[in-house]
Amino acid sequence: MRRLGWKTRLGFYLATIGSAFGLGNLWRFPYVVGENGGGAFVLIYILFALLIGLPLLVTELALGKSSRKSVMAATQALRIQIGTLGVSGKWIGRLPVILSLVVLAYYSVISGWVLHFLMQFGVHLISSYEFNATQTFRGLLESGVLQIALSSVHLILASVVVLKGVQEGLEKWVGWLMPAFAILMVILVTKTLSLPSAPEALRFLFYPNFSKLSSSSILYALGQVLFTLSLGFGTMVTFGSYLDSEEHVPTAAFRITVADTLLSLVAGLVVFPIALSAGSIETQDPGLLFAVLPEFLLGLPGGVFFGLLFFLCLYLASLSASIGLLEVIVSNAMEWKRFGRTRSTWIVVGLAMMISMVPALSGTFLKAFTSGQIKVLEILDFGLINVCLPVISFLIVLLVGRSWSNEQLEANFVHQEKVESVALFPYWKWSVQVGVLLMVAFIWILQIF
Ligand code: PHE
Protein backbone atom coordinates (compact mmCIF):
# COMPACT_ATOMS: atom_id res chain seq x y z
CA MET A 1 0.00 0.00 0.00
CA ARG A 2 1.41 3.39 -0.94
CA ARG A 3 1.63 5.77 1.94
CA LEU A 4 1.11 9.44 1.34
CA GLY A 5 3.09 11.86 3.43
CA TRP A 6 1.71 14.83 5.32
CA LYS A 7 0.83 17.54 2.85
CA THR A 8 2.65 20.15 4.88
CA ARG A 9 5.02 20.12 7.83
CA LEU A 10 2.43 22.16 9.69
CA GLY A 11 -0.12 19.39 9.01
CA PHE A 12 2.07 16.92 10.87
CA TYR A 13 2.54 19.22 13.84
CA LEU A 14 -1.13 20.08 14.00
CA ALA A 15 -2.18 16.45 13.88
CA THR A 16 0.33 15.26 16.49
CA ILE A 17 -0.36 18.13 18.85
CA GLY A 18 -4.08 17.70 18.16
CA SER A 19 -3.73 14.06 19.22
CA ALA A 20 -1.58 14.82 22.24
CA PHE A 21 -3.73 17.68 23.49
CA GLY A 22 -7.03 16.43 24.78
CA LEU A 23 -8.87 15.30 27.87
CA GLY A 24 -5.50 14.20 29.23
CA ASN A 25 -4.47 17.84 29.54
CA LEU A 26 -7.76 19.45 30.45
CA TRP A 27 -9.57 16.81 32.43
CA ARG A 28 -7.01 14.26 33.68
CA PHE A 29 -4.06 16.56 34.41
CA PRO A 30 -6.00 18.80 36.86
CA TYR A 31 -7.59 15.93 38.77
CA VAL A 32 -4.35 13.96 38.98
CA VAL A 33 -2.46 17.08 40.13
CA GLY A 34 -5.25 17.68 42.66
CA GLU A 35 -5.08 14.13 43.96
CA ASN A 36 -1.31 14.22 44.24
CA GLY A 37 -0.93 17.48 46.10
CA GLY A 38 0.02 20.08 43.48
CA GLY A 39 3.44 21.68 42.84
CA ALA A 40 5.79 18.81 43.76
CA PHE A 41 3.83 16.50 41.49
CA VAL A 42 3.93 19.05 38.66
CA LEU A 43 7.72 19.26 39.01
CA ILE A 44 8.12 15.47 38.81
CA TYR A 45 5.73 15.42 35.87
CA ILE A 46 7.82 17.97 33.94
CA LEU A 47 11.03 16.03 34.69
CA PHE A 48 9.47 12.78 33.52
CA ALA A 49 8.17 14.47 30.36
CA LEU A 50 11.72 15.46 29.42
CA LEU A 51 13.63 12.41 30.67
CA ILE A 52 11.18 9.63 29.78
CA GLY A 53 8.48 11.10 27.51
CA LEU A 54 10.82 12.81 25.05
CA PRO A 55 13.12 9.82 24.32
CA LEU A 56 10.04 7.62 23.97
CA LEU A 57 8.45 10.06 21.56
CA VAL A 58 11.62 10.13 19.44
CA THR A 59 11.62 6.32 19.48
CA GLU A 60 7.99 5.97 18.38
CA LEU A 61 8.18 8.63 15.66
CA ALA A 62 11.49 7.21 14.39
CA LEU A 63 10.09 3.68 14.35
CA GLY A 64 7.22 4.88 12.17
CA LYS A 65 9.33 7.09 9.94
CA SER A 66 12.02 4.50 9.26
CA SER A 67 9.64 1.61 8.64
CA ARG A 68 6.84 3.60 6.95
CA LYS A 69 4.48 1.27 8.78
CA SER A 70 2.13 1.28 11.74
CA VAL A 71 3.18 -0.20 15.05
CA MET A 72 2.16 -3.83 14.44
CA ALA A 73 3.96 -4.15 11.12
CA ALA A 74 6.86 -1.93 12.23
CA THR A 75 7.70 -4.17 15.20
CA GLN A 76 7.19 -7.46 13.39
CA ALA A 77 10.79 -7.91 12.31
CA LEU A 78 12.25 -6.80 15.66
CA ARG A 79 13.13 -9.08 18.52
CA ILE A 80 14.18 -8.83 22.15
CA GLN A 81 16.93 -11.27 22.94
CA ILE A 82 18.10 -11.55 26.53
CA GLY A 83 20.44 -14.52 26.82
CA THR A 84 18.55 -17.53 25.52
CA LEU A 85 15.19 -15.85 26.10
CA GLY A 86 13.74 -14.26 22.98
CA VAL A 87 10.46 -12.40 22.52
CA SER A 88 9.23 -11.55 19.05
CA GLY A 89 8.22 -7.97 18.33
CA LYS A 90 5.09 -9.37 16.73
CA TRP A 91 3.54 -9.92 20.15
CA ILE A 92 4.68 -6.63 21.57
CA GLY A 93 3.31 -4.71 18.55
CA ARG A 94 -0.21 -5.96 19.21
CA LEU A 95 -0.38 -4.65 22.75
CA PRO A 96 -0.55 -0.90 21.90
CA VAL A 97 -3.38 -1.55 19.45
CA ILE A 98 -5.42 -3.49 21.99
CA LEU A 99 -4.77 -0.79 24.57
CA SER A 100 -5.82 1.92 22.08
CA LEU A 101 -9.14 0.19 21.55
CA VAL A 102 -9.94 -0.07 25.26
CA VAL A 103 -8.75 3.48 25.93
CA LEU A 104 -10.76 4.80 22.96
CA ALA A 105 -13.88 3.26 24.50
CA TYR A 106 -13.18 4.76 27.90
CA TYR A 107 -12.14 8.10 26.40
CA SER A 108 -15.40 8.24 24.46
CA VAL A 109 -17.44 7.99 27.65
CA ILE A 110 -15.68 11.01 29.16
CA SER A 111 -15.98 12.81 25.81
CA GLY A 112 -19.71 12.03 26.03
CA TRP A 113 -19.84 13.85 29.39
CA VAL A 114 -18.25 16.86 27.71
CA LEU A 115 -20.71 16.66 24.84
CA HIS A 116 -23.57 16.57 27.32
CA PHE A 117 -22.45 19.77 29.04
CA LEU A 118 -21.77 21.40 25.70
CA MET A 119 -25.35 20.72 24.66
CA GLN A 120 -26.72 21.90 28.01
CA PHE A 121 -24.90 25.21 27.70
CA GLY A 122 -25.91 25.50 24.04
CA VAL A 123 -29.59 24.94 24.73
CA HIS A 124 -29.43 27.26 27.74
CA LEU A 125 -27.96 30.01 25.57
CA ILE A 126 -30.57 29.89 22.85
CA SER A 127 -33.68 29.19 24.93
CA SER A 128 -35.05 29.97 28.34
CA TYR A 129 -34.08 26.47 29.50
CA GLU A 130 -32.30 26.62 32.86
CA PHE A 131 -30.11 23.85 34.14
CA ASN A 132 -28.62 23.01 37.47
CA ALA A 133 -25.05 21.89 36.85
CA THR A 134 -24.73 19.65 39.90
CA GLN A 135 -27.97 17.86 39.20
CA THR A 136 -27.08 17.54 35.54
CA PHE A 137 -23.82 15.80 36.39
CA ARG A 138 -25.46 13.54 38.95
CA GLY A 139 -28.24 12.70 36.50
CA LEU A 140 -25.67 11.89 33.85
CA LEU A 141 -23.73 9.54 36.11
CA GLU A 142 -26.97 7.82 37.08
CA SER A 143 -27.99 7.23 33.48
CA GLY A 144 -25.97 4.51 31.81
CA VAL A 145 -28.15 4.67 28.70
CA LEU A 146 -27.50 8.39 28.22
CA GLN A 147 -23.75 7.84 28.60
CA ILE A 148 -23.82 4.99 26.07
CA ALA A 149 -25.77 7.16 23.62
CA LEU A 150 -23.41 10.12 24.04
CA SER A 151 -20.26 8.06 23.66
CA SER A 152 -21.73 6.43 20.54
CA VAL A 153 -22.43 9.84 19.00
CA HIS A 154 -18.86 10.82 19.79
CA LEU A 155 -17.45 7.68 18.18
CA ILE A 156 -19.50 8.25 15.05
CA LEU A 157 -18.28 11.86 14.78
CA ALA A 158 -14.66 10.72 15.14
CA SER A 159 -15.12 8.02 12.51
CA VAL A 160 -16.45 10.54 9.97
CA VAL A 161 -13.06 12.31 10.04
CA VAL A 162 -11.06 9.08 10.03
CA LEU A 163 -13.07 7.75 7.09
CA LYS A 164 -11.80 10.60 4.97
CA GLY A 165 -8.24 9.37 5.52
CA VAL A 166 -5.61 10.86 7.71
CA GLN A 167 -4.17 13.28 5.19
CA GLU A 168 -7.47 14.58 3.91
CA GLY A 169 -9.47 14.35 7.12
CA LEU A 170 -7.05 15.13 9.87
CA GLU A 171 -4.91 17.84 8.32
CA LYS A 172 -7.81 19.92 7.19
CA TRP A 173 -9.72 19.39 10.37
CA VAL A 174 -6.99 20.32 12.81
CA GLY A 175 -5.77 23.12 10.55
CA TRP A 176 -8.55 25.35 11.74
CA LEU A 177 -9.07 23.66 15.06
CA MET A 178 -5.73 24.40 16.70
CA PRO A 179 -5.70 28.18 16.14
CA ALA A 180 -9.27 28.31 17.47
CA PHE A 181 -8.06 26.42 20.52
CA ALA A 182 -5.22 28.75 21.21
CA ILE A 183 -7.49 31.79 21.08
CA LEU A 184 -10.06 30.20 23.39
CA MET A 185 -7.44 29.15 25.92
CA VAL A 186 -5.94 32.64 26.01
CA ILE A 187 -9.38 34.15 26.63
CA LEU A 188 -10.05 31.62 29.37
CA VAL A 189 -6.70 32.15 31.11
CA THR A 190 -7.07 35.92 31.19
CA LYS A 191 -10.47 35.40 32.75
CA THR A 192 -9.42 32.83 35.38
CA LEU A 193 -6.22 34.63 36.35
CA SER A 194 -8.24 37.64 37.38
CA LEU A 195 -10.25 35.58 39.86
CA PRO A 196 -9.54 36.16 43.58
CA SER A 197 -8.46 32.52 43.91
CA ALA A 198 -5.74 32.92 41.25
CA PRO A 199 -2.76 33.48 43.65
CA GLU A 200 -3.73 30.41 45.66
CA ALA A 201 -4.10 28.38 42.48
CA LEU A 202 -0.68 29.51 41.23
CA ARG A 203 0.89 28.54 44.53
CA PHE A 204 -0.85 25.18 44.50
CA LEU A 205 0.26 24.48 40.96
CA PHE A 206 3.86 25.69 41.12
CA TYR A 207 5.09 25.62 44.72
CA PRO A 208 6.64 22.20 45.31
CA ASN A 209 5.59 20.83 48.67
CA PHE A 210 7.00 17.31 48.67
CA SER A 211 5.20 16.29 51.85
CA LYS A 212 1.97 16.34 49.86
CA LEU A 213 3.05 13.57 47.50
CA SER A 214 1.35 10.26 48.04
CA SER A 215 2.94 6.83 47.75
CA SER A 216 1.60 6.33 44.23
CA SER A 217 2.39 9.84 42.95
CA ILE A 218 5.38 8.86 40.81
CA LEU A 219 3.35 6.16 39.12
CA TYR A 220 0.64 8.72 38.41
CA ALA A 221 3.23 11.15 37.02
CA LEU A 222 4.65 8.51 34.67
CA GLY A 223 1.20 7.37 33.50
CA GLN A 224 0.13 10.97 32.93
CA VAL A 225 3.23 11.80 30.85
CA LEU A 226 2.71 8.76 28.62
CA PHE A 227 -1.02 9.32 28.27
CA THR A 228 -0.83 13.00 27.51
CA LEU A 229 1.93 12.56 24.91
CA SER A 230 -0.05 9.69 23.34
CA LEU A 231 2.86 7.30 23.96
CA GLY A 232 2.56 3.53 24.23
CA PHE A 233 -0.49 3.48 21.96
CA GLY A 234 1.30 3.33 18.63
CA THR A 235 -0.30 6.64 17.66
CA MET A 236 3.02 8.38 17.25
CA VAL A 237 4.37 5.42 15.23
CA THR A 238 1.48 5.84 12.78
CA PHE A 239 1.92 9.62 12.61
CA GLY A 240 5.69 9.17 12.14
CA SER A 241 5.03 6.77 9.27
CA TYR A 242 3.39 9.58 7.30
CA LEU A 243 6.32 11.89 8.02
CA ASP A 244 8.46 13.32 5.23
CA SER A 245 11.91 11.74 5.10
CA GLU A 246 13.51 15.19 5.31
CA GLU A 247 12.00 15.89 8.70
CA HIS A 248 14.28 15.67 11.76
CA VAL A 249 12.44 13.52 14.30
CA PRO A 250 14.13 14.69 17.55
CA THR A 251 13.38 18.33 16.72
CA ALA A 252 9.73 17.47 16.08
CA ALA A 253 9.56 15.38 19.27
CA PHE A 254 11.06 18.17 21.35
CA ARG A 255 8.56 20.71 20.03
CA ILE A 256 5.60 18.38 20.63
CA THR A 257 6.73 17.60 24.19
CA VAL A 258 7.21 21.26 25.07
CA ALA A 259 3.92 22.31 23.45
CA ASP A 260 1.93 19.58 25.19
CA THR A 261 3.50 20.26 28.59
CA LEU A 262 2.80 23.98 28.26
CA LEU A 263 -0.78 23.23 27.25
CA SER A 264 -1.25 21.10 30.38
CA LEU A 265 0.07 23.92 32.53
CA VAL A 266 -2.24 26.39 30.76
CA ALA A 267 -5.12 23.96 31.35
CA GLY A 268 -4.12 23.95 35.03
CA LEU A 269 -4.23 27.76 35.02
CA VAL A 270 -7.76 27.60 33.63
CA VAL A 271 -9.11 24.88 35.88
CA PHE A 272 -7.45 25.49 39.27
CA PRO A 273 -8.54 29.07 39.95
CA ILE A 274 -12.11 28.03 39.11
CA ALA A 275 -11.95 24.78 41.06
CA LEU A 276 -10.43 26.56 44.07
CA SER A 277 -13.16 29.16 44.15
CA ALA A 278 -15.65 26.32 44.22
CA GLY A 279 -14.01 24.48 47.12
CA SER A 280 -11.18 22.07 47.85
CA ILE A 281 -9.46 20.36 44.98
CA GLU A 282 -7.47 17.79 46.84
CA THR A 283 -10.33 15.52 47.65
CA GLN A 284 -11.58 15.31 44.12
CA ASP A 285 -11.84 12.31 41.82
CA PRO A 286 -12.27 12.09 38.05
CA GLY A 287 -15.41 14.15 38.45
CA LEU A 288 -13.39 17.28 39.42
CA LEU A 289 -13.82 19.19 36.21
CA PHE A 290 -17.47 18.32 35.73
CA ALA A 291 -18.48 18.68 39.35
CA VAL A 292 -17.16 22.19 39.94
CA LEU A 293 -16.68 23.96 36.65
CA PRO A 294 -20.12 24.18 35.04
CA GLU A 295 -21.69 25.39 38.27
CA PHE A 296 -19.07 28.06 38.68
CA LEU A 297 -19.40 29.16 35.07
CA LEU A 298 -23.15 29.46 35.35
CA GLY A 299 -22.69 31.83 38.28
CA LEU A 300 -20.54 34.27 36.28
CA PRO A 301 -21.94 37.23 34.36
CA GLY A 302 -22.07 36.02 30.78
CA GLY A 303 -21.22 32.60 32.18
CA VAL A 304 -23.44 30.66 29.81
CA PHE A 305 -21.54 31.91 26.80
CA PHE A 306 -18.25 31.39 28.60
CA GLY A 307 -19.34 27.84 29.56
CA LEU A 308 -20.32 27.11 25.99
CA LEU A 309 -16.89 28.25 24.78
CA PHE A 310 -15.07 26.18 27.39
CA PHE A 311 -16.97 22.99 26.66
CA LEU A 312 -16.68 23.54 22.94
CA CYS A 313 -12.93 23.86 23.32
CA LEU A 314 -12.82 20.78 25.55
CA TYR A 315 -14.99 18.79 23.19
CA LEU A 316 -12.95 19.63 20.10
CA ALA A 317 -9.79 18.67 22.00
CA SER A 318 -11.25 15.32 22.95
CA LEU A 319 -12.51 14.75 19.42
CA SER A 320 -9.12 15.35 17.82
CA ALA A 321 -7.45 13.09 20.41
CA SER A 322 -10.06 10.37 19.75
CA ILE A 323 -9.35 10.70 16.05
CA GLY A 324 -5.67 9.99 16.80
CA LEU A 325 -6.63 6.86 18.75
CA LEU A 326 -9.08 5.66 16.13
CA GLU A 327 -6.62 6.33 13.33
CA VAL A 328 -3.98 4.12 14.92
CA ILE A 329 -6.36 1.18 15.28
CA VAL A 330 -7.76 1.63 11.77
CA SER A 331 -4.35 1.97 10.11
CA ASN A 332 -3.12 -1.18 11.88
CA ALA A 333 -6.27 -3.09 10.99
CA MET A 334 -5.88 -2.03 7.36
CA GLU A 335 -2.31 -3.30 7.20
CA TRP A 336 -3.03 -6.44 9.17
CA LYS A 337 -6.19 -7.71 7.54
CA ARG A 338 -5.95 -5.74 4.30
CA PHE A 339 -9.46 -4.44 4.97
CA GLY A 340 -10.48 -1.16 3.35
CA ARG A 341 -10.59 2.00 5.44
CA THR A 342 -14.38 2.07 5.64
CA ARG A 343 -14.75 -1.51 6.76
CA SER A 344 -11.91 -1.23 9.30
CA THR A 345 -13.34 1.98 10.74
CA TRP A 346 -16.83 0.60 11.30
CA ILE A 347 -15.55 -2.64 12.83
CA VAL A 348 -13.35 -0.70 15.24
CA VAL A 349 -16.13 1.74 16.13
CA GLY A 350 -18.55 -1.15 16.74
CA LEU A 351 -16.08 -2.83 19.08
CA ALA A 352 -15.35 0.44 20.89
CA MET A 353 -19.08 1.01 21.40
CA MET A 354 -19.43 -2.38 23.03
CA ILE A 355 -16.43 -1.91 25.32
CA SER A 356 -17.56 1.60 26.27
CA MET A 357 -20.52 0.05 28.07
CA VAL A 358 -18.26 -0.91 30.98
CA PRO A 359 -17.20 2.66 31.92
CA ALA A 360 -20.63 4.01 30.90
CA LEU A 361 -22.37 1.68 33.35
CA SER A 362 -19.85 2.48 36.07
CA GLY A 363 -22.36 4.56 38.05
CA THR A 364 -25.37 2.30 37.62
CA PHE A 365 -25.27 -1.37 36.75
CA LEU A 366 -21.65 -1.86 37.85
CA LYS A 367 -21.95 0.30 40.94
CA ALA A 368 -22.79 -2.78 42.99
CA PHE A 369 -19.22 -4.04 42.56
CA THR A 370 -17.62 -1.09 44.30
CA SER A 371 -18.49 1.81 46.52
CA GLY A 372 -18.91 5.22 44.89
CA GLN A 373 -20.35 6.33 41.61
CA ILE A 374 -17.29 6.48 39.42
CA LYS A 375 -15.18 3.86 41.15
CA VAL A 376 -15.24 1.39 38.26
CA LEU A 377 -14.12 4.18 35.97
CA GLU A 378 -11.37 5.15 38.40
CA ILE A 379 -10.15 1.58 38.65
CA LEU A 380 -10.17 1.29 34.87
CA ASP A 381 -8.28 4.56 34.54
CA PHE A 382 -5.65 3.44 37.06
CA GLY A 383 -5.23 0.03 35.47
CA LEU A 384 -5.00 1.32 31.90
CA ILE A 385 -2.97 4.48 32.33
CA ASN A 386 -0.81 3.82 35.37
CA VAL A 387 -0.21 0.09 34.91
CA CYS A 388 -0.71 -1.14 31.32
CA LEU A 389 0.63 1.95 29.58
CA PRO A 390 4.05 2.04 31.33
CA VAL A 391 4.46 -1.73 30.76
CA ILE A 392 3.76 -1.39 27.03
CA SER A 393 5.99 1.68 26.65
CA PHE A 394 8.76 -0.17 28.49
CA LEU A 395 8.46 -3.10 26.08
CA ILE A 396 8.53 -0.83 23.00
CA VAL A 397 11.71 0.91 24.17
CA LEU A 398 13.26 -2.41 25.12
CA LEU A 399 12.40 -3.82 21.71
CA VAL A 400 13.78 -0.88 19.72
CA GLY A 401 16.79 -0.34 21.98
CA ARG A 402 17.77 -4.00 21.74
CA SER A 403 17.05 -4.48 18.03
CA TRP A 404 18.43 -1.38 16.38
CA SER A 405 22.10 -1.24 15.53
CA ASN A 406 24.24 1.74 16.37
CA GLU A 407 23.96 2.90 12.74
CA GLN A 408 20.18 2.70 12.79
CA LEU A 409 20.00 4.66 16.04
CA GLU A 410 22.35 7.25 14.60
CA ALA A 411 20.48 7.52 11.30
CA ASN A 412 17.27 8.22 13.18
CA PHE A 413 18.70 10.79 15.50
CA VAL A 414 21.63 12.62 13.99
CA HIS A 415 21.27 15.33 11.38
CA GLN A 416 24.67 16.68 10.37
CA GLU A 417 23.39 20.24 10.06
CA LYS A 418 22.04 20.18 13.59
CA VAL A 419 25.05 20.24 15.91
CA GLU A 420 22.91 19.63 18.97
CA SER A 421 21.75 16.32 17.51
CA VAL A 422 25.37 15.17 17.15
CA ALA A 423 26.15 16.28 20.69
CA LEU A 424 23.04 14.68 22.20
CA PHE A 425 23.29 11.39 20.32
CA PRO A 426 25.27 9.50 23.03
CA TYR A 427 22.70 10.59 25.61
CA TRP A 428 19.78 9.51 23.43
CA LYS A 429 21.39 6.16 22.70
CA TRP A 430 21.93 5.61 26.41
CA SER A 431 18.34 6.66 27.12
CA VAL A 432 16.84 4.18 24.67
CA GLN A 433 19.13 1.32 25.52
CA VAL A 434 19.36 1.79 29.29
CA GLY A 435 18.16 5.07 30.79
CA VAL A 436 14.40 4.99 30.19
CA LEU A 437 14.27 1.31 31.16
CA LEU A 438 16.15 1.96 34.39
CA MET A 439 13.95 4.93 35.28
CA VAL A 440 10.72 3.05 34.67
CA ALA A 441 12.01 -0.01 36.56
CA PHE A 442 13.08 2.24 39.43
CA ILE A 443 9.59 3.78 39.57
CA TRP A 444 8.04 0.30 39.77
CA ILE A 445 10.46 -0.79 42.49
CA LEU A 446 9.74 2.34 44.53
CA GLN A 447 6.04 1.75 44.04
CA ILE A 448 6.20 -1.84 45.21
CA PHE A 449 8.26 -1.11 48.32
N1 PHE B 1 -2.94 12.41 24.52
C1 PHE B 1 -4.36 12.46 24.56
C2 PHE B 1 -4.81 13.35 25.69
O1 PHE B 1 -4.02 13.93 26.37
C3 PHE B 1 -4.96 11.08 24.70
C4 PHE B 1 -4.54 10.16 23.63
C5 PHE B 1 -3.80 9.06 23.90
C6 PHE B 1 -4.86 10.44 22.32
C7 PHE B 1 -3.36 8.23 22.90
C8 PHE B 1 -4.41 9.61 21.30
C9 PHE B 1 -3.66 8.51 21.60
O2 PHE B 1 -5.96 13.51 25.91
Side-chain angles (χ1 to χ4, degrees):
M1 192 186 344
R2 203 172 90 83
R3 283 181 106 80
L4 295 167
W6 297 101
K7 288 218 176 70
T8 59
R9 170 187 283 183
L10 189 65
F12 163 76
Y13 278 107
L14 289 172
T16 39
I17 294 172
S19 150
F21 184 59
L23 288 172
N25 307 68
L26 280 153
W27 159 72
R28 201 173 186 277
F29 179 74
Y31 105 72
V32 169
V33 170
E35 264 190 356
N36 290 284
F41 178 83
V42 173
L43 194 67
I44 296 177
Y45 166 83
I46 295 174
L47 273 178
F48 283 1
L50 292 172
L51 297 177
I52 301 176
L54 180 57
L56 260 165
L57 184 52
V58 177
T59 305
E60 284 203 16
L61 287 173
L63 183 62
K65 190 185 153 200
S66 60
S67 65
R68 297 260 157 244
K69 292 189 179 111
S70 295
V71 69
M72 266 167 55
T75 48
Q76 211 157 25
L78 308 183
R79 192 176 171 79
I80 303 175
Q81 196 67 43
I82 304 172
T84 50
L85 190 79
V87 184
S88 156
K90 197 169 132 192
W91 299 106
I92 296 174
R94 288 182 183 169
L95 300 176
V97 185
I98 300 167
L99 182 75
S100 296
L101 182 63
V102 183
V103 168
L104 174 66
Y106 148 78
Y107 204 83
S108 302
V109 173
I110 314 289
S111 305
W113 294 2
V114 182
L115 192 57
H116 188 58
F117 276 101
L118 173 62
M119 290 189 301
Q120 298 285 324
F121 275 105
V123 176
H124 190 17
L125 190 71
I126 54 173
S127 72
S128 56
Y129 163 79
E130 296 274 330
F131 80 98
N132 175 307
T134 316
Q135 272 172 13
T136 299
F137 188 48
R138 199 176 304 133
L140 181 65
L141 293 183
E142 281 167 4
S143 171
V145 177
L146 181 59
Q147 290 187 65
I148 292 172
L150 287 164
S151 60
S152 304
V153 170
H154 174 76
L155 280 168
I156 291 170
L157 285 176
S159 54
V160 170
V161 179
V162 169
L163 275 176
K164 291 191 144 198
V166 74
Q167 292 83 15
E168 285 295 310
L170 210 52
E171 269 192 77
K172 243 187 238 161
W173 156 254
V174 286
W176 62 265
L177 177 67
M178 292 308 284
F181 251 175
I183 297 169
L184 280 174
M185 292 305 280
V186 169
I187 301 173
L188 288 167
V189 171
T190 50
K191 193 102 178 160
T192 53
L193 285 186
S194 57
L195 289 171
S197 56
E200 199 192 335
L202 286 173
R203 193 181 151 78
F204 180 78
L205 201 53
F206 296 115
Y207 179 75
N209 182 349
F210 286 91
S211 65
K212 285 189 165 181
L213 290 175
S214 79
S215 59
S216 53
S217 291
I218 42 167
L219 199 59
Y220 266 102
L222 175 63
Q224 179 60 23
V225 163
L226 300 175
F227 182 63
T228 191
L229 287 172
S230 308
L231 294 169
F233 293 90
T235 311
M236 293 302 177
V237 181
T238 295
F239 283 178
S241 74
Y242 302 127
L243 198 56
D244 197 339
S245 53
E246 294 302 301
E247 203 58 51
H248 185 231
V249 164
T251 309
F254 181 71
R255 289 181 184 154
I256 297 165
T257 306
V258 171
D260 187 77
T261 307
L262 287 177
L263 285 169
S264 279
L265 296 175
V266 171
L269 292 177
V270 170
V271 174
F272 282 114
I274 299 180
L276 272 170
S277 345
S280 163
I281 36 177
E282 284 165 53
T283 53
Q284 294 294 341
D285 54 21
L288 169 70
L289 190 73
F290 301 92
V292 297
L293 239 135
E295 191 178 306
F296 173 82
L297 293 169
L298 281 174
L300 285 179
V304 184
F305 178 67
F306 194 39
L308 183 70
L309 278 188
F310 183 84
F311 279 94
L312 182 66
C313 174
L314 188 57
Y315 185 68
L316 294 178
S318 63
L319 190 58
S320 63
S322 306
I323 291 165
L325 274 171
L326 186 57
E327 172 62 32
V328 66
I329 317 169
V330 169
S331 62
N332 277 286
M334 282 165 68
E335 282 172 10
W336 182 40
K337 284 284 172 206
R338 306 217 173 272
F339 284 168
R341 183 168 273 275
T342 315
R343 192 158 157 207
S344 308
T345 307
W346 291 124
I347 294 176
V348 171
V349 165
L351 284 173
M353 278 182 188
M354 283 195 275
I355 302 171
S356 70
M357 288 188 194
V358 177
L361 297 174
S362 168
T364 48
F365 187 61
L366 298 174
K367 195 173 158 188
F369 294 101
T370 53
S371 62
Q373 239 175 354
I374 32 184
K375 265 284 179 302
V376 175
L377 199 123
E378 260 178 280
I379 296 168
L380 198 65
D381 178 273
F382 191 90
L384 291 173
I385 314 296
N386 295 352
V387 181
C388 296
L389 194 50
V391 172
I392 295 175
S393 306
F394 183 89
L395 289 174
I396 294 177
V397 165
L398 187 64
L399 184 65
V400 175
R402 291 261 154 184
S403 312
W404 277 5
S405 63
N406 210 20
E407 290 69 41
Q408 271 173 303
L409 288 172
E410 198 169 334
N412 279 295
F413 193 87
V414 175
H415 189 299
Q416 289 310 332
E417 279 162 31
K418 295 191 189 277
V419 255
E420 68 284 6
S421 73
V422 182
L424 283 172
F425 176 63
Y427 171 71
W428 186 68
K429 189 177 149 202
W430 176 81
S431 271
V432 177
Q433 290 180 334
V434 188
V436 170
L437 299 171
L438 271 185
M439 282 185 266
V440 175
F442 182 66
I443 292 169
W444 284 334
I445 291 168
L446 268 186
Q447 185 61 44
I448 294 165
F449 295 104

